[in-house]
Amino acid sequence: MNEAVLYESSYVTGTRLTPLRPEERSPASVSGSPYIEREVVVDPSREYQRILGFGGALTEASGYVLSLLPDKERERVIRMYFDRREGHGYTFARTHMNSCDFSFGNWALVEKEDPSLSSFDLGPSRRYQLPLVKDAWRVSGGLRLLVSPWSPPAWMKDNREMCHGGKLLPEYYPVWARYFVSFIRALQGEGLEVWGVTVQNEPEAVQTWESCIYTGEEEGRFVRDHLVPTFRGAGLEGKKVLIWDHNRDRLPERVEESFGLEGVREVVDGVAYHWYSGPQYDNVEETSSRIDGKLLVFTEGCIEGGARPGEWWVGERYGYEMIQDLLHGAKAWIDWNVVLDTEGGPNHAGNFCDAPVLVDIEGKEVFPQSSYYYIGHLSRWCRPGSRRIEVTVPEAGDEDSSAGGRFWEQRDLALGVRDPEGRIVLVLYNSRDVSIMYSVRRKGDRGEFRHVCPPHSIQTVILEA
């Protein structure tokens, strides 16, 4: 087997996306220390989904936090995510149409009742959200920008408010479809192109912040009878339309509820989902097999309950979730807020969360978190156009009885892709308390590459074609 290039992030060794010489992780490095052994068999002839890319959410809160930094430091953070050479090389971004919980209160782009939408105004987005989107677009050289609404304006809903659920009134279905078009056109006027939309963020969640409820049938009918025809009439046929945008637990059932309506399957481009209901990866795989090659995109996940500065387990959860989603059929993976303050906000509903980059807004200091590094092990080297390939690791993922109930602990996983240059890229995950001795070989090849993955580490191994 050809010589490997190795990158590592480890709680134990202190590495952070650090390039290493293979001899630095040779079998001799664990002499006298406990370890377990794993054989990794790579079969490049067995191919699965093509990877579209990785990204994060560009919210009003993230834009505000970054606006408090000196210009040079703000630019550095944006490059940490969106620059292909210096950072993660994000090619996706998700942003909100109207306000979300990570905004400074409820706002819509048409505040007062106006079915003509003649008063449509990007004003609220211009404060913090749009400057961030524009900078990410500039640094990346162009993004697949995904737009998601948390709620229509209050005047379109049966509860007359943007929060606490409520439903879009049927008479406003065509108006709401035109609202999507107005937003896309307005962004085009700012030099931004929208790649696609989700119909509604979390359409089964009644939240104390912006939310709106759809049944699967209602969502399908809105897409089939209003959104897609309106896009076509406006010359926006190429915009992707994704349904669901909620948790894994109801993923297969919800898709069938929408696709059960005649003609819906034909006009929907794919399915979006989140992680908050738990690790139901079988549902991801089942959905992937049912949707006949349509897009399957993870669109949101974060650690809830506030920021977790310095916690290593956060990165381990990210690594585990990302690898499992890709192993079960996801084609793209989009994180939640790219940046938050050290409280996990701002958030007008008190729904504080963690982010891969935290900023001390008083001291103007930037703190990349473990999740930032774990994301990078996939986003930097599993590039768009990579094809997932078969990787077999006997016994991997067996849970240790000392795991303490966290599903990502005391596990090991391996993901393999063939990148656009033909190289084999392996991502190896070890959340165990002991090192893993990996023997990596191609199927049918006697040669092997043996190296050590330390405890609580993630590695990316690149094998030349």
Side-chain angles (χ1 to χ4, degrees), residues 116-128:
S116 72
L117 305 183
S118 60
S119 59
F120 188 95
D121 182 9
L122 274 180
S125 297
R126 293 187 189 280
R127 294 174 295 188
Y128 303 113

Side-chain angles (χ1 to χ4, degrees), residues 49-231:
Q49 80 272 25
R50 192 176 298 279
I51 306 300
L52 298 179
F54 300 84
L58 307 176
T59 60
E60 185 176 15
S62 290
Y64 168 75
V65 170
L66 284 171
S67 76
L68 301 177
L69 291 175
D71 290 345
K72 185 176 181 180
E73 192 69 352
R74 180 179 185 276
E75 179 74 4
R76 183 177 76 88
V77 174
I78 293 170
R79 290 191 175 279
M80 284 169 59
Y81 278 116
F82 294 97
D83 188 273
R84 176 67 184 92
R85 294 180 180 177
E86 300 175 26
H88 282 1
Y90 274 6
T91 54
F92 273 87
R94 180 174 179 237
T95 199
H96 46 97
M97 181 171 70
N98 296 335
S99 60
C100 68
D101 48 328
F102 283 89
S103 296
F104 287 101
N106 299 144
W107 51 261
L109 303 175
V110 181
E111 285 286 5
K112 297 182 179 180
E113 187 167 357
D114 175 15
S116 72
L117 305 183
S118 60
S119 59
F120 188 95
D121 182 9
L122 274 180
S125 297
R126 293 187 189 280
R127 294 174 295 188
Y128 303 113
Q129 180 189 12
L130 270 183
L132 175 56
V133 176
K134 287 182 176 182
D135 280 341
W137 185 275
R138 169 181 54 82
V139 169
S140 67
L143 289 163
R144 284 176 164 155
L145 184 60
L146 181 65
V147 168
S148 299
W150 267 241
S151 175
W155 54 270
M156 291 190 188
K157 297 173 66 181
D158 61 2
N159 67 346
R160 308 300 289 182
E161 60 173 316
M162 294 182 71
C163 302
H164 304 105
K167 287 196 170 191
L168 177 66
L169 291 165
E171 59 264 34
Y172 285 118
Y173 275 32
V175 180
W176 185 226
R178 288 192 287 109
Y179 199 105
F180 276 83
V181 171
S182 295
F183 190 62
I184 292 171
R185 292 287 191 222
L187 292 187
Q188 287 176 333
E190 301 291 323
L192 304 166
E193 282 292 338
V194 170
W195 172 78
V197 302
T198 65
V199 178
Q200 170 64 43
N201 178 70
E202 300 185 347
E204 286 188 346
V206 176
Q207 306 285 21
T208 58
W209 53 87
E210 293 86 341
S211 44
C212 185
I213 303 303
Y214 291 78
T215 65
E217 183 176 324
E218 288 167 341
E219 188 175 14
R221 188 179 300 114
F222 173 71
V223 171
R224 182 194 65 189
D225 298 344
H226 300 282
L227 188 61
V228 169
T230 302
F231 277 2

Side-chain angles (χ1 to χ4, degrees), residues 25 31 64 86 94 189-190 258 265 278 355 363 365 417:
R25 293 293 178 263
S31 178
Y64 168 75
E86 300 175 26
R94 180 174 179 237
E190 301 291 323
S258 293
R265 179 185 291 268
E365 290 188 79
V417 304

